[in-house]
Amino acid sequence: MTDNTLTHIDQSGNANMVDVSEKQATTRIAVATAAVLMQKETLALIKSNDLKKGDVLATARIAGIQGAKQCSTLIPLCHPLMISKVGVDFEYDEVNSSIYIRCECKLVGKTGVEMEALTGVSIAALTIYDMCKAVDPGMVISDIKVEQKQGGKTGLWEREKA
């Protein structure tokens, strides 16, 4: 059960950056995922590294890492964090003509890294789209979500499998 109080709103209803100074520093990890659906031909081009713009997944990996690190400059009330690890991984799905993206962020700190993981996976997906849009403008980015978070007073939370 969670507290339903909105922490980013003060008593007057104004936007408010949460004060985390009294919270306990713990190891915090978050994992987010996304999918990019595309034509089978586009997936084949990515797998064979035959796109004119270069290595799509290597570029998307670096972009995802950079995105996670820049989260607080993109989302106004996020705290700037000293992230100790960002990992971005990809999995091909031939059946659904998709690439699944997973971003894991880790730190020792006073606030979680869910937004950083979500930003990382989103930027990686957007980079795949950008690099492939000339051959497949109908690609769809979908299912962006937090799969797991751990640390802090709430401990471990995992999304229930469908």
Side-chain angles (χ1 to χ4, degrees), residues 96-146:
N96 295 305
S97 190
S98 302
I99 296 175
Y100 293 100
I101 309 164
R102 180 183 186 276
C103 180
E104 178 179 329
C105 294
K106 181 178 181 180
L107 61 67
V108 174
K110 296 182 175 196
T111 189
V113 288
E114 300 91 343
M115 295 309 300
E116 288 71 15
L118 287 165
T119 302
V121 80
S122 298
I123 297 299
L126 289 167
T127 300
I128 292 170
Y129 184 92
D130 180 51
M131 293 188 74
C132 300
K133 67 182 184 255
V135 297
D136 190 356
M139 288 176 291
V140 174
I141 297 170
S142 68
D143 299 318
I144 298 170
K145 60 187 173 285
V146 173

mmCIF file of all heavy atoms in Angstrom, residues 96-146:
data_model
loop_
_atom_site.group_PDB
_atom_site.id
_atom_site.type_symbol
_atom_site.label_atom_id
_atom_site.label_comp_id
_atom_site.label_asym_id
_atom_site.label_seq_id
_atom_site.Cartn_x
_atom_site.Cartn_y
_atom_site.Cartn_z
ATOM 1 N N ASN A 96 7.457 -10.532 -33.477
ATOM 2 C CA ASN A 96 6.681 -9.289 -33.436
ATOM 3 C C ASN A 96 7.380 -8.136 -34.148
ATOM 4 O O ASN A 96 6.910 -6.996 -34.064
ATOM 5 C CB ASN A 96 6.396 -8.900 -31.986
ATOM 6 C CG ASN A 96 5.514 -9.914 -31.309
ATOM 7 O OD1 ASN A 96 4.431 -10.220 -31.787
ATOM 8 N ND2 ASN A 96 5.995 -10.480 -30.213
ATOM 9 N N SER A 97 8.479 -8.432 -34.820
ATOM 10 C CA SER A 97 9.252 -7.428 -35.548
ATOM 11 C C SER A 97 9.508 -6.201 -34.664
ATOM 12 O O SER A 97 9.144 -5.074 -35.001
ATOM 13 C CB SER A 97 8.518 -7.032 -36.841
ATOM 14 O OG SER A 97 9.356 -6.242 -37.641
ATOM 15 N N SER A 98 10.161 -6.463 -33.519
ATOM 16 C CA SER A 98 10.368 -5.427 -32.507
ATOM 17 C C SER A 98 11.764 -5.528 -31.914
ATOM 18 O O SER A 98 12.414 -6.560 -31.995
ATOM 19 C CB SER A 98 9.369 -5.596 -31.358
ATOM 20 O OG SER A 98 8.051 -5.557 -31.819
ATOM 21 N N ILE A 99 12.150 -4.432 -31.284
ATOM 22 C CA ILE A 99 13.327 -4.419 -30.432
ATOM 23 C C ILE A 99 12.858 -4.003 -29.044
ATOM 24 O O ILE A 99 12.185 -2.981 -28.890
ATOM 25 C CB ILE A 99 14.407 -3.455 -30.944
ATOM 26 C CG1 ILE A 99 14.926 -3.920 -32.306
ATOM 27 C CG2 ILE A 99 15.558 -3.329 -29.932
ATOM 28 C CD1 ILE A 99 15.911 -2.976 -32.952
ATOM 29 N N TYR A 100 13.187 -4.832 -28.052
ATOM 30 C CA TYR A 100 12.864 -4.496 -26.676
ATOM 31 C C TYR A 100 14.094 -3.868 -26.033
ATOM 32 O O TYR A 100 15.213 -4.327 -26.223
ATOM 33 C CB TYR A 100 12.406 -5.736 -25.899
ATOM 34 C CG TYR A 100 11.086 -6.238 -26.420
ATOM 35 C CD1 TYR A 100 11.025 -7.317 -27.279
ATOM 36 C CD2 TYR A 100 9.898 -5.584 -26.086
ATOM 37 C CE1 TYR A 100 9.806 -7.751 -27.793
ATOM 38 C CE2 TYR A 100 8.681 -6.003 -26.598
ATOM 39 C CZ TYR A 100 8.647 -7.096 -27.449
ATOM 40 O OH TYR A 100 7.452 -7.509 -27.956
ATOM 41 N N ILE A 101 13.860 -2.819 -25.282
ATOM 42 C CA ILE A 101 14.937 -2.058 -24.650
ATOM 43 C C ILE A 101 14.767 -2.161 -23.144
ATOM 44 O O ILE A 101 13.653 -2.051 -22.623
ATOM 45 C CB ILE A 101 14.882 -0.574 -25.077
ATOM 46 C CG1 ILE A 101 14.818 -0.449 -26.589
ATOM 47 C CG2 ILE A 101 16.070 0.204 -24.501
ATOM 48 C CD1 ILE A 101 14.383 0.918 -27.068
ATOM 49 N N ARG A 102 15.885 -2.335 -22.457
ATOM 50 C CA ARG A 102 15.897 -2.388 -20.994
ATOM 51 C C ARG A 102 16.960 -1.426 -20.498
ATOM 52 O O ARG A 102 18.092 -1.459 -20.964
ATOM 53 C CB ARG A 102 16.238 -3.806 -20.545
ATOM 54 C CG ARG A 102 16.296 -4.002 -19.037
ATOM 55 C CD ARG A 102 16.711 -5.454 -18.722
ATOM 56 N NE ARG A 102 16.642 -5.742 -17.309
ATOM 57 C CZ ARG A 102 17.604 -5.465 -16.437
ATOM 58 N NH1 ARG A 102 18.729 -4.884 -16.833
ATOM 59 N NH2 ARG A 102 17.462 -5.766 -15.158
ATOM 60 N N CYS A 103 16.587 -0.553 -19.563
ATOM 61 C CA CYS A 103 17.537 0.382 -18.962
ATOM 62 C C CYS A 103 17.523 0.174 -17.456
ATOM 63 O O CYS A 103 16.461 0.218 -16.832
ATOM 64 C CB CYS A 103 17.184 1.826 -19.297
ATOM 65 S SG CYS A 103 18.310 3.043 -18.575
ATOM 66 N N GLU A 104 18.720 -0.054 -16.899
ATOM 67 C CA GLU A 104 18.872 -0.200 -15.457
ATOM 68 C C GLU A 104 19.756 0.916 -14.930
ATOM 69 O O GLU A 104 20.828 1.171 -15.485
ATOM 70 C CB GLU A 104 19.512 -1.538 -15.103
ATOM 71 C CG GLU A 104 19.734 -1.714 -13.610
ATOM 72 C CD GLU A 104 20.348 -3.048 -13.251
ATOM 73 O OE1 GLU A 104 20.093 -4.048 -13.968
ATOM 74 O OE2 GLU A 104 21.091 -3.102 -12.259
ATOM 75 N N CYS A 105 19.287 1.600 -13.902
ATOM 76 C CA CYS A 105 20.057 2.669 -13.259
ATOM 77 C C CYS A 105 20.253 2.316 -11.791
ATOM 78 O O CYS A 105 19.370 1.744 -11.153
ATOM 79 C CB CYS A 105 19.324 4.002 -13.346
ATOM 80 S SG CYS A 105 19.152 4.631 -15.022
ATOM 81 N N LYS A 106 21.425 2.691 -11.277
ATOM 82 C CA LYS A 106 21.770 2.361 -9.893
ATOM 83 C C LYS A 106 22.532 3.520 -9.264
ATOM 84 O O LYS A 106 23.293 4.213 -9.951
ATOM 85 C CB LYS A 106 22.645 1.107 -9.879
ATOM 86 C CG LYS A 106 23.052 0.627 -8.503
ATOM 87 C CD LYS A 106 23.869 -0.650 -8.616
ATOM 88 C CE LYS A 106 24.277 -1.167 -7.258
ATOM 89 N NZ LYS A 106 25.071 -2.403 -7.374
ATOM 90 N N LEU A 107 22.332 3.705 -7.963
ATOM 91 C CA LEU A 107 23.082 4.683 -7.185
ATOM 92 C C LEU A 107 22.959 4.382 -5.712
ATOM 93 O O LEU A 107 22.160 3.554 -5.310
ATOM 94 C CB LEU A 107 22.602 6.113 -7.466
ATOM 95 C CG LEU A 107 21.154 6.529 -7.161
ATOM 96 C CD1 LEU A 107 20.814 6.551 -5.691
ATOM 97 C CD2 LEU A 107 20.895 7.883 -7.746
ATOM 98 N N VAL A 108 23.753 5.067 -4.924
ATOM 99 C CA VAL A 108 23.553 5.108 -3.475
ATOM 100 C C VAL A 108 23.114 6.539 -3.209
ATOM 101 O O VAL A 108 23.859 7.485 -3.478
ATOM 102 C CB VAL A 108 24.836 4.764 -2.688
ATOM 103 C CG1 VAL A 108 24.609 4.964 -1.192
ATOM 104 C CG2 VAL A 108 25.274 3.339 -2.990
ATOM 105 N N GLY A 109 21.895 6.699 -2.735
ATOM 106 C CA GLY A 109 21.382 8.048 -2.548
ATOM 107 C C GLY A 109 20.100 8.081 -1.748
ATOM 108 O O GLY A 109 19.659 7.077 -1.199
ATOM 109 N N LYS A 110 19.487 9.280 -1.742
ATOM 110 C CA LYS A 110 18.319 9.541 -0.914
ATOM 111 C C LYS A 110 17.018 9.563 -1.697
ATOM 112 O O LYS A 110 15.961 9.791 -1.127
ATOM 113 C CB LYS A 110 18.502 10.878 -0.189
ATOM 114 C CG LYS A 110 19.667 10.863 0.774
ATOM 115 C CD LYS A 110 19.790 12.178 1.498
ATOM 116 C CE LYS A 110 20.895 12.094 2.538
ATOM 117 N NZ LYS A 110 20.799 13.181 3.503
ATOM 118 N N THR A 111 17.094 9.336 -3.004
ATOM 119 C CA THR A 111 15.893 9.293 -3.821
ATOM 120 C C THR A 111 16.095 8.264 -4.926
ATOM 121 O O THR A 111 17.229 7.930 -5.281
ATOM 122 C CB THR A 111 15.537 10.696 -4.376
ATOM 123 O OG1 THR A 111 14.256 10.646 -4.997
ATOM 124 C CG2 THR A 111 16.577 11.194 -5.362
ATOM 125 N N GLY A 112 14.982 7.764 -5.447
ATOM 126 C CA GLY A 112 15.034 6.686 -6.423
ATOM 127 C C GLY A 112 15.474 7.124 -7.811
ATOM 128 O O GLY A 112 15.609 8.310 -8.101
ATOM 129 N N VAL A 113 15.699 6.132 -8.668
ATOM 130 C CA VAL A 113 16.193 6.379 -10.023
ATOM 131 C C VAL A 113 15.211 5.903 -11.097
ATOM 132 O O VAL A 113 15.590 5.654 -12.232
ATOM 133 C CB VAL A 113 17.584 5.737 -10.243
ATOM 134 C CG1 VAL A 113 18.657 6.487 -9.494
ATOM 135 C CG2 VAL A 113 17.592 4.269 -9.889
ATOM 136 N N GLU A 114 13.920 5.839 -10.744
ATOM 137 C CA GLU A 114 12.920 5.417 -11.726
ATOM 138 C C GLU A 114 12.851 6.364 -12.916
ATOM 139 O O GLU A 114 12.770 5.918 -14.075
ATOM 140 C CB GLU A 114 11.521 5.332 -11.099
ATOM 141 C CG GLU A 114 11.386 4.364 -9.959
ATOM 142 C CD GLU A 114 11.657 5.005 -8.597
ATOM 143 O OE1 GLU A 114 12.259 6.092 -8.538
ATOM 144 O OE2 GLU A 114 11.260 4.400 -7.595
ATOM 145 N N MET A 115 12.876 7.653 -12.646
ATOM 146 C CA MET A 115 12.757 8.616 -13.746
ATOM 147 C C MET A 115 13.974 8.554 -14.664
ATOM 148 O O MET A 115 13.860 8.710 -15.878
ATOM 149 C CB MET A 115 12.560 10.035 -13.207
ATOM 150 C CG MET A 115 11.250 10.228 -12.465
ATOM 151 S SD MET A 115 9.785 9.657 -13.375
ATOM 152 C CE MET A 115 9.867 10.678 -14.838
ATOM 153 N N GLU A 116 15.129 8.292 -14.092
ATOM 154 C CA GLU A 116 16.341 8.166 -14.897
ATOM 155 C C GLU A 116 16.265 6.935 -15.794
ATOM 156 O O GLU A 116 16.633 6.994 -16.974
ATOM 157 C CB GLU A 116 17.573 8.122 -13.987
ATOM 158 C CG GLU A 116 17.909 9.451 -13.338
ATOM 159 C CD GLU A 116 16.945 9.902 -12.242
ATOM 160 O OE1 GLU A 116 16.129 9.084 -11.743
ATOM 161 O OE2 GLU A 116 16.996 11.086 -11.856
ATOM 162 N N ALA A 117 15.782 5.815 -15.260
ATOM 163 C CA ALA A 117 15.631 4.608 -16.072
ATOM 164 C C ALA A 117 14.591 4.817 -17.175
ATOM 165 O O ALA A 117 14.804 4.406 -18.323
ATOM 166 C CB ALA A 117 15.254 3.419 -15.187
ATOM 167 N N LEU A 118 13.480 5.466 -16.841
ATOM 168 C CA LEU A 118 12.455 5.762 -17.852
ATOM 169 C C LEU A 118 12.983 6.710 -18.927
ATOM 170 O O LEU A 118 12.695 6.533 -20.115
ATOM 171 C CB LEU A 118 11.215 6.367 -17.186
ATOM 172 C CG LEU A 118 10.356 5.399 -16.394
ATOM 173 C CD1 LEU A 118 9.397 6.167 -15.487
ATOM 174 C CD2 LEU A 118 9.601 4.462 -17.324
ATOM 175 N N THR A 119 13.754 7.700 -18.528
ATOM 176 C CA THR A 119 14.330 8.628 -19.493
ATOM 177 C C THR A 119 15.337 7.906 -20.383
ATOM 178 O O THR A 119 15.340 8.078 -21.606
ATOM 179 C CB THR A 119 14.986 9.828 -18.779
ATOM 180 O OG1 THR A 119 13.995 10.480 -17.980
ATOM 181 C CG2 THR A 119 15.555 10.823 -19.778
ATOM 182 N N GLY A 120 16.170 7.063 -19.787
ATOM 183 C CA GLY A 120 17.157 6.320 -20.560
ATOM 184 C C GLY A 120 16.526 5.435 -21.618
ATOM 185 O O GLY A 120 16.938 5.429 -22.784
ATOM 186 N N VAL A 121 15.502 4.681 -21.222
ATOM 187 C CA VAL A 121 14.854 3.776 -22.172
ATOM 188 C C VAL A 121 14.104 4.574 -23.245
ATOM 189 O O VAL A 121 14.076 4.179 -24.419
ATOM 190 C CB VAL A 121 13.956 2.756 -21.428
ATOM 191 C CG1 VAL A 121 12.627 3.323 -21.022
ATOM 192 C CG2 VAL A 121 13.767 1.504 -22.230
ATOM 193 N N SER A 122 13.536 5.701 -22.880
ATOM 194 C CA SER A 122 12.819 6.540 -23.851
ATOM 195 C C SER A 122 13.769 7.140 -24.882
ATOM 196 O O SER A 122 13.479 7.141 -26.087
ATOM 197 C CB SER A 122 12.073 7.666 -23.129
ATOM 198 O OG SER A 122 11.111 7.140 -22.251
ATOM 199 N N ILE A 123 14.894 7.653 -24.419
ATOM 200 C CA ILE A 123 15.866 8.260 -25.335
ATOM 201 C C ILE A 123 16.477 7.205 -26.245
ATOM 202 O O ILE A 123 16.708 7.450 -27.442
ATOM 203 C CB ILE A 123 16.941 9.041 -24.556
ATOM 204 C CG1 ILE A 123 16.306 10.215 -23.793
ATOM 205 C CG2 ILE A 123 18.058 9.523 -25.480
ATOM 206 C CD1 ILE A 123 15.620 11.254 -24.657
ATOM 207 N N ALA A 124 16.729 6.012 -25.729
ATOM 208 C CA ALA A 124 17.227 4.923 -26.575
ATOM 209 C C ALA A 124 16.207 4.595 -27.670
ATOM 210 O O ALA A 124 16.571 4.431 -28.844
ATOM 211 C CB ALA A 124 17.544 3.694 -25.737
ATOM 212 N N ALA A 125 14.941 4.514 -27.310
ATOM 213 C CA ALA A 125 13.885 4.227 -28.285
ATOM 214 C C ALA A 125 13.776 5.353 -29.320
ATOM 215 O O ALA A 125 13.650 5.092 -30.526
ATOM 216 C CB ALA A 125 12.544 4.032 -27.575
ATOM 217 N N LEU A 126 13.831 6.591 -28.864
ATOM 218 C CA LEU A 126 13.771 7.722 -29.795
ATOM 219 C C LEU A 126 14.960 7.731 -30.751
ATOM 220 O O LEU A 126 14.836 8.095 -31.922
ATOM 221 C CB LEU A 126 13.711 9.039 -29.015
ATOM 222 C CG LEU A 126 12.396 9.306 -28.297
ATOM 223 C CD1 LEU A 126 12.554 10.459 -27.318
ATOM 224 C CD2 LEU A 126 11.281 9.573 -29.292
ATOM 225 N N THR A 127 16.113 7.295 -30.274
ATOM 226 C CA THR A 127 17.304 7.242 -31.123
ATOM 227 C C THR A 127 17.151 6.169 -32.196
ATOM 228 O O THR A 127 17.518 6.387 -33.358
ATOM 229 C CB THR A 127 18.560 7.004 -30.272
ATOM 230 O OG1 THR A 127 18.675 8.089 -29.338
ATOM 231 C CG2 THR A 127 19.812 6.942 -31.128
ATOM 232 N N ILE A 128 16.599 5.024 -31.822
ATOM 233 C CA ILE A 128 16.325 3.995 -32.832
ATOM 234 C C ILE A 128 15.391 4.558 -33.897
ATOM 235 O O ILE A 128 15.630 4.410 -35.100
ATOM 236 C CB ILE A 128 15.729 2.725 -32.182
ATOM 237 C CG1 ILE A 128 16.787 2.039 -31.315
ATOM 238 C CG2 ILE A 128 15.173 1.779 -33.244
ATOM 239 C CD1 ILE A 128 16.247 0.908 -30.447
ATOM 240 N N TYR A 129 14.337 5.233 -33.456
ATOM 241 C CA TYR A 129 13.405 5.838 -34.416
ATOM 242 C C TYR A 129 14.130 6.831 -35.320
ATOM 243 O O TYR A 129 13.986 6.796 -36.551
ATOM 244 C CB TYR A 129 12.237 6.521 -33.685
ATOM 245 C CG TYR A 129 11.227 7.054 -34.662
ATOM 246 C CD1 TYR A 129 10.140 6.279 -35.049
ATOM 247 C CD2 TYR A 129 11.376 8.310 -35.242
ATOM 248 C CE1 TYR A 129 9.226 6.746 -35.984
ATOM 249 C CE2 TYR A 129 10.471 8.778 -36.176
ATOM 250 C CZ TYR A 129 9.400 8.002 -36.548
ATOM 251 O OH TYR A 129 8.509 8.464 -37.478
ATOM 252 N N ASP A 130 14.905 7.712 -34.728
ATOM 253 C CA ASP A 130 15.605 8.744 -35.504
ATOM 254 C C ASP A 130 16.522 8.131 -36.552
ATOM 255 O O ASP A 130 16.560 8.586 -37.692
ATOM 256 C CB ASP A 130 16.403 9.653 -34.570
ATOM 257 C CG ASP A 130 17.147 10.739 -35.334
ATOM 258 O OD1 ASP A 130 16.507 11.432 -36.152
ATOM 259 O OD2 ASP A 130 18.360 10.881 -35.120
ATOM 260 N N MET A 131 17.241 7.098 -36.184
ATOM 261 C CA MET A 131 18.206 6.505 -37.107
ATOM 262 C C MET A 131 17.552 5.678 -38.207
ATOM 263 O O MET A 131 18.172 5.415 -39.236
ATOM 264 C CB MET A 131 19.227 5.672 -36.336
ATOM 265 C CG MET A 131 20.116 6.542 -35.459
ATOM 266 S SD MET A 131 21.465 5.636 -34.725
ATOM 267 C CE MET A 131 22.541 5.408 -36.148
ATOM 268 N N CYS A 132 16.289 5.267 -38.004
ATOM 269 C CA CYS A 132 15.620 4.391 -38.967
ATOM 270 C C CYS A 132 14.428 5.036 -39.671
ATOM 271 O O CYS A 132 13.811 4.416 -40.537
ATOM 272 C CB CYS A 132 15.155 3.119 -38.259
ATOM 273 S SG CYS A 132 16.481 2.177 -37.502
ATOM 274 N N LYS A 133 14.085 6.260 -39.305
ATOM 275 C CA LYS A 133 12.854 6.868 -39.819
ATOM 276 C C LYS A 133 12.843 7.043 -41.332
ATOM 277 O O LYS A 133 11.785 7.031 -41.951
ATOM 278 C CB LYS A 133 12.573 8.187 -39.117
ATOM 279 C CG LYS A 133 13.571 9.286 -39.417
ATOM 280 C CD LYS A 133 13.247 10.549 -38.629
ATOM 281 C CE LYS A 133 14.185 11.656 -39.010
ATOM 282 N NZ LYS A 133 15.201 11.910 -38.013
ATOM 283 N N ALA A 134 14.012 7.170 -41.958
ATOM 284 C CA ALA A 134 14.052 7.330 -43.418
ATOM 285 C C ALA A 134 13.559 6.070 -44.132
ATOM 286 O O ALA A 134 12.956 6.163 -45.200
ATOM 287 C CB ALA A 134 15.470 7.674 -43.871
ATOM 288 N N VAL A 135 13.797 4.894 -43.534
ATOM 289 C CA VAL A 135 13.352 3.651 -44.160
ATOM 290 C C VAL A 135 12.037 3.137 -43.586
ATOM 291 O O VAL A 135 11.380 2.303 -44.210
ATOM 292 C CB VAL A 135 14.432 2.538 -44.078
ATOM 293 C CG1 VAL A 135 15.673 2.936 -44.840
ATOM 294 C CG2 VAL A 135 14.747 2.180 -42.655
ATOM 295 N N ASP A 136 11.643 3.630 -42.406
ATOM 296 C CA ASP A 136 10.434 3.116 -41.751
ATOM 297 C C ASP A 136 9.794 4.185 -40.859
ATOM 298 O O ASP A 136 9.880 4.132 -39.635
ATOM 299 C CB ASP A 136 10.798 1.875 -40.920
ATOM 300 C CG ASP A 136 9.584 1.122 -40.407
ATOM 301 O OD1 ASP A 136 8.445 1.585 -40.611
ATOM 302 O OD2 ASP A 136 9.791 0.063 -39.778
ATOM 303 N N PRO A 137 9.122 5.175 -41.480
ATOM 304 C CA PRO A 137 8.529 6.247 -40.662
ATOM 305 C C PRO A 137 7.328 5.795 -39.830
ATOM 306 O O PRO A 137 6.886 6.522 -38.942
ATOM 307 C CB PRO A 137 8.099 7.281 -41.709
ATOM 308 C CG PRO A 137 7.923 6.497 -42.968
ATOM 309 C CD PRO A 137 8.923 5.378 -42.903
ATOM 310 N N GLY A 138 6.852 4.579 -40.040
ATOM 311 C CA GLY A 138 5.690 4.090 -39.295
ATOM 312 C C GLY A 138 6.034 3.336 -38.028
ATOM 313 O O GLY A 138 5.144 2.759 -37.399
ATOM 314 N N MET A 139 7.296 3.338 -37.625
ATOM 315 C CA MET A 139 7.676 2.646 -36.379
ATOM 316 C C MET A 139 6.847 3.173 -35.210
ATOM 317 O O MET A 139 6.442 4.336 -35.198
ATOM 318 C CB MET A 139 9.161 2.855 -36.078
ATOM 319 C CG MET A 139 10.091 2.103 -36.974
ATOM 320 S SD MET A 139 11.818 2.507 -36.623
ATOM 321 C CE MET A 139 11.892 4.188 -37.202
ATOM 322 N N VAL A 140 6.639 2.306 -34.228
ATOM 323 C CA VAL A 140 5.863 2.671 -33.039
ATOM 324 C C VAL A 140 6.711 2.407 -31.797
ATOM 325 O O VAL A 140 7.259 1.315 -31.634
ATOM 326 C CB VAL A 140 4.553 1.852 -32.955
ATOM 327 C CG1 VAL A 140 3.824 2.121 -31.645
ATOM 328 C CG2 VAL A 140 3.660 2.150 -34.149
ATOM 329 N N ILE A 141 6.810 3.409 -30.937
ATOM 330 C CA ILE A 141 7.452 3.260 -29.630
ATOM 331 C C ILE A 141 6.328 2.988 -28.636
ATOM 332 O O ILE A 141 5.355 3.734 -28.577
ATOM 333 C CB ILE A 141 8.240 4.531 -29.247
ATOM 334 C CG1 ILE A 141 9.382 4.758 -30.242
ATOM 335 C CG2 ILE A 141 8.761 4.433 -27.811
ATOM 336 C CD1 ILE A 141 10.067 6.107 -30.097
ATOM 337 N N SER A 142 6.467 1.897 -27.863
ATOM 338 C CA SER A 142 5.360 1.538 -26.979
ATOM 339 C C SER A 142 5.853 0.927 -25.669
ATOM 340 O O SER A 142 7.029 0.609 -25.519
ATOM 341 C CB SER A 142 4.425 0.548 -27.677
ATOM 342 O OG SER A 142 5.061 -0.694 -27.854
ATOM 343 N N ASP A 143 4.900 0.749 -24.777
ATOM 344 C CA ASP A 143 5.093 -0.005 -23.536
ATOM 345 C C ASP A 143 6.234 0.496 -22.671
ATOM 346 O O ASP A 143 6.962 -0.302 -22.070
ATOM 347 C CB ASP A 143 5.266 -1.501 -23.834
ATOM 348 C CG ASP A 143 4.049 -2.085 -24.523
ATOM 349 O OD1 ASP A 143 2.927 -1.741 -24.107
ATOM 350 O OD2 ASP A 143 4.218 -2.862 -25.473
ATOM 351 N N ILE A 144 6.405 1.804 -22.578
ATOM 352 C CA ILE A 144 7.426 2.367 -21.698
ATOM 353 C C ILE A 144 6.916 2.248 -20.263
ATOM 354 O O ILE A 144 5.842 2.748 -19.946
ATOM 355 C CB ILE A 144 7.724 3.838 -22.062
ATOM 356 C CG1 ILE A 144 8.264 3.925 -23.491
ATOM 357 C CG2 ILE A 144 8.699 4.453 -21.056
ATOM 358 C CD1 ILE A 144 8.368 5.336 -24.029
ATOM 359 N N LYS A 145 7.707 1.550 -19.429
ATOM 360 C CA LYS A 145 7.225 1.320 -18.057
ATOM 361 C C LYS A 145 8.366 0.941 -17.126
ATOM 362 O O LYS A 145 9.398 0.444 -17.566
ATOM 363 C CB LYS A 145 6.164 0.231 -18.036
ATOM 364 C CG LYS A 145 6.638 -1.114 -18.561
ATOM 365 C CD LYS A 145 5.460 -2.089 -18.661
ATOM 366 C CE LYS A 145 5.832 -3.385 -19.336
ATOM 367 N NZ LYS A 145 5.976 -3.300 -20.778
ATOM 368 N N VAL A 146 8.137 1.175 -15.842
ATOM 369 C CA VAL A 146 9.056 0.710 -14.797
ATOM 370 C C VAL A 146 8.712 -0.751 -14.533
ATOM 371 O O VAL A 146 7.547 -1.103 -14.327
ATOM 372 C CB VAL A 146 8.922 1.541 -13.506
ATOM 373 C CG1 VAL A 146 9.753 0.944 -12.381
ATOM 374 C CG2 VAL A 146 9.320 2.983 -13.757
#
